[in-house]
Amino acid sequence: MMNLNTMNAQRHSLPFKEELTTLLATLSDTGDTIERWFKIQQMWTALESVFTGGDIAKQMPMEAKKFSQIDKDWMKIMQKSAETKLVVPCCQND
């Protein structure tokens, strides 16, 4: 990213300006997506033990059910991501 930013600032890169700008935006979005995934996984790890068993899950059955459904959705997203072998296209999926 730093090299692309540096290149983008050079006057000699003017013929490539549009391509550089697009590439920088794509890589920035990809990095943001990966950072969000890491944060979600960290939070998920903490919540998983609460909602998958024990007294809290019994005391909060609706929330436990919601967590279970969201967990299934998250697993589908991660499975789809694992099947996409390239990181940029993987992070651009809806």
Side-chain angles (χ1 to χ4, degrees):
M1 283 283 285
M2 284 180 40
N3 288 341
L4 285 176
N5 276 322
T6 302
M7 187 184 298
N8 198 24
Q10 302 293 320
R11 65 182 174 97
H12 302 293
S13 68
L14 200 54
F16 310 104
K17 195 67 132 179
E18 186 176 326
E19 186 177 357
L20 281 170
T21 303
T22 301
L23 188 55
L24 280 167
T26 300
L27 291 175
S28 177
D29 290 345
T30 299
D32 291 345
T33 299
I34 291 171
E35 283 182 37
R36 282 188 214 113
W37 284 355
F38 285 143
K39 287 179 184 178
I40 289 169
Q41 288 175 351
Q42 288 173 339
M43 289 186 285
W44 212 255
T45 301
L47 292 173
E48 189 174 29
S49 62
V50 171
F51 286 111
T52 56
D55 292 337
I56 295 176
K58 291 176 185 173
Q59 293 171 10
M60 303 172 72
M62 294 298 290
E63 289 79 1
K65 186 176 179 180
K66 271 188 198 178
F67 183 87
S68 177
Q69 182 56 51
I70 294 169
D71 186 50
K72 289 176 187 174
D73 294 342
W74 177 253
M75 292 298 189
K76 287 178 188 175
I77 291 169
M78 290 296 101
Q79 180 63 37
K80 186 176 178 182
S81 297
E83 292 168 2
T84 306
K85 299 298 181 193
L86 301 173
V87 70
V88 172
C90 174
C91 291
Q92 291 177 333
N93 286 340
D94 292 331

